[in-house]
Amino acid sequence: MEPLLDVLAERDLPCAPHVVARLVAALPDDPEAVLALAARLGPEQRRGLRRLPDPLPLGADPSRLAGIPETDRRLLLAVALSLGDRLDPVLALDGRPVEGVLSSAAARYLTIHAGRVRLTDPRIGADVRLAATAGEVACAHERLAAAAAATGDRLAAAWHHARARPVADRASAVALHALAQAAAADGKAERALLLAAEAAAHAATGGLGEETRLFAGCAALACGFAADAESWLSALFPYAAEHRRVRALGPLLAARAFRHGTVPAIDPPRFAPISVADTTSWARSAGLAAILCAERGDHRGERRWLGALRDAAVGAESSGRLRDAAASLCRLLAGEGGTGEECAPGELLGGVPVALRAACEGDIDEGLRLLRTACIPRATDGDLLLPGFGGAPIVRSYQAVTEVLLLVWRGDIGSAREVLRQAAVDLPVAIPFAGLGVVLARRLDLAVLGALSPMARSLTAVVPPAMGCDVLVDRAVEAFLAGSFEAAARGMGLWRDRGAPQSSFAVPGLDGALLAARTEEAPPVHPPETEVVVALQRAIGGSSAGAWRTEHEAARDAARRLRSPFTRGRVETLLGVHAGLHGDAAAARDHLQQAERLFEAAGADAWGRAVRRRLDRLQASVDEADSGAERLRACRSAWAQQLTPRELEVAMLAVGGSGNRAIAEHLSVSVRTVEVHLGRVFAKLHVRTRVELTVLAHRTERYL
């Protein structure tokens, strides 16, 4: 599938991986047909924000039906229109035994096995549909409805009966709405959406129309079709009944956030219900809005909606549980922790909050266990936030992205990447936590491959523009792993100039102490090891030559206590670099060798290759004396992160052997000014003399 993703991107047809997977399933072994089909889809269908059309626009070719008798065409039409793949209703409609069907001209287009039937080539289905008149299609649906009723399949009978009606049919709307709710309760969100959409088409206006559109919008949201959800739900404002508007508000805000990247800024009191009977629905909408704001760092909006949630939860037990659970998740996303007692594992977003909390408290394995327990079928039926859709694709996306995050925190980089790649084929993983899945996909590709894969690039392309994706750190990581320290330093410098933006979740980037572009605090959501690593980076990067031996021992002991092989590998790399900068080649080699083994254990192949190149370069240059300012480009780039431009020029001229007077004449300043600049350089770089400065410059060039 990845070559297809690349070609689609080249043709300016970016597609979400799970959408391409569906197109490939519909047209196996025919990549050109998949590309042609993708070109016929709308941009939001390619991004996974709208349902794919039914039938798919596969392109009609009348010649494919040449020579097929009319009886067999009707059979193929019945198979193409059938809701399921059961053989019995099709045989009942056709009137021939299975042996007669197998000997017919239609048999070469059918796969029949174990009481199931399907079209071998879906393009035949498109051909027979386009060739059939509206009357023939309606007749086929009516006969399929009768056949399904005869076999006791109420769902298929109601569906086909509704599809056969040329005008709105209230009875069909009522039946399909009930069946859609039952399908959602059984965890079949996409089947529920199919039924709900047809029910909404037949319900027309009035209370039933509002109810069916509300349910269709919620079902679309649960499947990740945010644009469809917004279309259905926005139709309820401002004139639908209050209790339906209250129920629709949270899902509508979620649909707009998933589609456009930001939560609409509205005033909660303007939408608060008058009736006490709507308290639970209002609490659910307020809780969902608060979590959406918290995901995106909108703390003002989060506080407004949490206030509305607290007001709604007064005196209502179920609303009180939702209030506690939502408020706890918001606190967690803001880095304020939580008690872990607010809800059972499966009661909110498929167990994601309790799994995250366990990991943030230091027990990542317990977090993964809780998450996988909540994924057991029917374990999430009672989701407080999305009642009736606990096992829907959107919830499973949150679970999958959380699992990947926890695997990254545990240091299982290779496993995390494989889990995310599989999830991306099945689910809209770009949605959860404001695009966290995209950030993880990019960083995991860089850690394993050293470059972005077509899947990561495709996920990046489908993120809403308002959310965006800060690529500066990713480019710096890519340059660093490729051996270009200078480009990495520039990228991190630009990132720092932009305010050092980062995800709310701790996702490995570049060691700040290595490039003097670190943030002073860990991201809000992180495991305890993150704080240890940030402190270690700061200590290692700020260690002076005189204190290095003592501080090196302390840092090495602290590194040994890190449980994540990937995290420890990065710290060992940092120790190796700085050991080399401080003149301890033996320690540098030892730390880098440890890092290489740790990266291999973590599955971070690109990091392992980068360390191996450093080891090879160290071995080749142990006895080599570097000289000449032109060979100090990496040193200049590294020092540029710590020195002012004038200090840097003075330092590089001093390293090149120029005296104070010569430097003053070259820069047209006084000798005293040169002395002041050199004093500041010595202080910032922790050296005392020109000799130490020159030695540091050549070591920096060698080890970075």
Side-chain angles (χ1 to χ4, degrees):
M1 190 176 75
E2 294 223 352
L4 280 174
L5 291 171
D6 254 349
V7 175
L8 287 166
E10 291 170 3
R11 297 184 182 183
D12 197 23
L13 298 170
C15 280
H18 69 287
V19 174
V20 176
R22 294 194 176 197
L23 302 184
V24 170
L27 294 165
D29 305 319
D30 195 345
E32 286 302 321
V34 171
L35 294 171
L37 175 55
R40 297 187 186 105
L41 301 177
E44 291 193 315
Q45 288 173 327
R46 290 195 296 270
R47 291 172 60 197
L49 297 177
R50 288 194 186 277
R51 293 180 299 163
L52 294 177
D54 183 28
L56 288 170
L58 299 171
D61 182 2
S63 65
R64 282 195 287 255
L65 300 176
I68 299 179
E70 190 61 32
T71 301
D72 290 339
R73 288 196 187 201
R74 288 197 296 268
L75 172 63
L76 293 173
L77 178 62
V79 175
L81 295 175
S82 183
L83 179 63
D85 60 354
R86 290 180 56 189
L87 178 61
D88 290 348
V90 175
L91 292 178
L93 179 149
D94 185 69
R96 288 178 286 183
V98 67
E99 292 80 7
V101 171
L102 290 173
S103 61
S104 70
R108 58 178 170 160
Y109 301 114
L110 298 174
T111 299
I112 299 176
H113 177 71
R116 305 288 176 180
V117 60
R118 64 178 178 84
L119 292 168
T120 303
D121 186 343
R123 285 168 292 196
I124 291 296
D127 291 340
V128 296
R129 285 193 187 193
L130 289 170
T133 66
E136 289 172 333
V137 170
C139 180
H141 275 300
E142 197 62 71
R143 295 177 67 191
L144 283 168
T151 59
D153 189 345
R154 289 178 54 247
L155 191 154
W159 163 260
H160 287 297
H161 180 76
R163 295 295 291 176
R165 303 277 74 79
V167 295
D169 180 48
R170 180 179 176 83
S172 292
V174 172
L176 289 173
H177 182 58
L179 290 168
Q181 291 175 310
D186 287 341
K188 301 173 182 177
E190 295 205 24
R191 175 56 59 87
L193 173 58
L194 183 70
L195 298 170
E198 187 66 20
H202 278 281
T205 59
L208 180 61
E210 292 176 1
E211 195 66 35
T212 54
R213 282 192 286 275
L214 170 58
F215 190 82
C218 292
L221 179 68
C223 294
F225 302 128
D228 287 331
E230 184 178 351
S231 297
W232 270 309
L233 295 170
S234 61
L236 300 174
F237 293 86
Y239 300 116
E242 180 184 76
H243 66 95
R244 295 191 184 98
R245 294 201 312 272
V246 169
R247 287 158 56 198
L249 181 61
L252 176 59
L253 294 176
R256 289 186 174 174
F258 295 160
R259 185 183 184 188
H260 305 294
T262 59
V263 183
I266 65 174
D267 188 18
R270 289 184 55 203
F271 293 85
I274 298 173
S275 172
V276 177
D278 298 327
T279 297
T280 299
S281 297
W282 174 242
R284 190 172 292 125
S285 286
L288 183 54
I291 292 170
L292 291 167
C293 291
E295 285 183 354
R296 288 155 179 77
D298 179 6
H299 301 304
R300 183 179 178 184
E302 172 195 337
R303 288 191 295 270
R304 285 203 306 265
W305 284 108
L306 284 178
L309 176 57
R310 284 191 294 270
D311 294 341
V314 175
E317 180 181 352
S318 60
S319 297
R321 286 167 51 227
L322 174 59
R323 171 202 61 203
D324 294 341
S328 176
L329 178 55
C330 289
R331 289 198 302 273
L332 183 68
L333 294 175
E336 299 171 8
T339 66
E341 302 295 332
E342 291 80 359
C343 60
E347 286 191 327
L348 193 70
L349 284 178
V352 164
V354 289
L356 278 173
R357 189 173 297 109
C360 290
E361 291 171 354
D363 197 341
I364 297 175
D365 289 335
E366 174 66 6
L368 287 167
R369 187 192 69 79
L370 288 169
L371 195 62
R372 289 161 182 166
T373 300
C375 288
I376 295 174
R378 303 194 67 83
T380 60
D381 283 356
D383 197 296
L384 292 170
L385 206 60
L386 300 168
F389 293 102
I394 194 67
V395 175
R396 290 189 284 121
S397 293
Y398 271 90
Q399 291 173 325
V401 170
T402 303
E403 180 182 2
V404 171
L405 178 69
L406 266 54
L407 288 171
V408 169
W409 285 357
R410 197 171 68 176
D412 295 340
I413 301 301
S415 298
R417 182 172 180 267
E418 289 306 311
V419 169
L420 183 56
R421 287 171 63 80
Q422 182 56 53
V425 170
D426 300 324
L427 300 166
V429 295
I431 287 178
F433 296 118
L436 175 62
V438 181
V439 176
L440 287 167
R442 294 172 66 91
R443 297 288 168 83
L444 288 169
D445 272 356
L446 291 173
V448 176
L449 305 176
L452 298 181
S453 69
M455 186 169 289
R457 291 195 294 271
S458 296
L459 286 171
T460 304
V462 301
V463 170
M467 273 172 29
C469 187
D470 193 340
V471 300
L472 290 173
V473 173
D474 296 332
R475 289 174 179 169
V477 173
E478 187 172 8
F480 181 78
L481 295 176
S484 178
F485 173 82
E486 188 176 3
R490 284 198 303 270
M492 293 301 286
L494 290 172
W495 173 73
R496 180 185 56 193
D497 293 342
R498 295 184 66 246
Q502 58 182 326
S503 166
S504 296
F505 297 82
V507 180
L510 271 183
D511 292 315
L514 198 61
L515 296 169
R518 64 180 181 273
T519 54
E520 293 301 323
E521 298 179 357
V525 188
H526 62 268
E529 273 196 357
T530 300
E531 295 179 3
V532 176
V533 171
V534 169
L536 269 173
Q537 290 177 3
R538 195 175 297 130
I540 295 168
S543 180
S544 64
W548 168 251
R549 190 169 298 278
T550 302
E551 293 173 354
H552 168 246
E553 291 296 326
R556 185 173 62 181
D557 291 342
R560 288 172 177 163
R561 292 192 289 272
L562 296 174
R563 297 177 62 186
S564 162
F566 182 64
T567 299
R568 183 179 171 188
R570 292 166 69 231
V571 172
E572 292 285 353
T573 301
L574 194 60
L575 282 167
V577 168
H578 281 270
L581 295 178
H582 287 290
D584 191 345
R589 183 182 298 105
D590 180 61
H591 285 301
L592 292 175
Q593 288 173 342
Q594 290 271 36
E596 185 181 22
R597 287 190 286 268
L598 288 162
F599 288 139
E600 180 181 359
D605 298 341
W607 280 88
R609 290 193 298 270
V611 170
R612 169 44 52 189
R613 285 194 296 270
R614 288 176 182 278
L615 280 166
D616 293 343
R617 192 161 62 248
L618 173 62
Q619 186 64 36
S621 62
V622 165
D623 300 321
E624 181 184 343
D626 294 332
S627 62
E630 286 302 312
R631 303 185 64 184
L632 298 177
R633 295 182 63 191
C635 172
R636 175 183 286 274
S637 181
W639 286 3
Q641 307 298 312
Q642 298 168 273
L643 306 178
T644 67
R646 181 62 78 181
E647 289 168 354
L648 179 62
E649 288 305 313
V650 170
M652 298 311 295
L653 288 169
V655 167
S658 299
N660 287 0
R661 185 170 297 281
I663 295 173
E665 292 175 355
H666 179 77
L667 299 178
S668 300
V669 297
S670 68
V671 174
R672 175 59 184 160
T673 300
V674 173
E675 292 171 349
V676 169
H677 284 317
L678 273 178
R680 291 172 180 165
V681 169
F682 290 169
K684 289 181 179 181
L685 299 180
H686 306 292
V687 297
R688 293 171 294 180
T689 66
R690 284 170 171 270
V691 173
E692 290 183 3
L693 180 68
T694 303
V695 170
L696 177 61
H698 291 289
R699 287 175 181 165
T700 301
E701 179 70 21
R702 177 180 303 155
Y703 292 98
L704 293 183

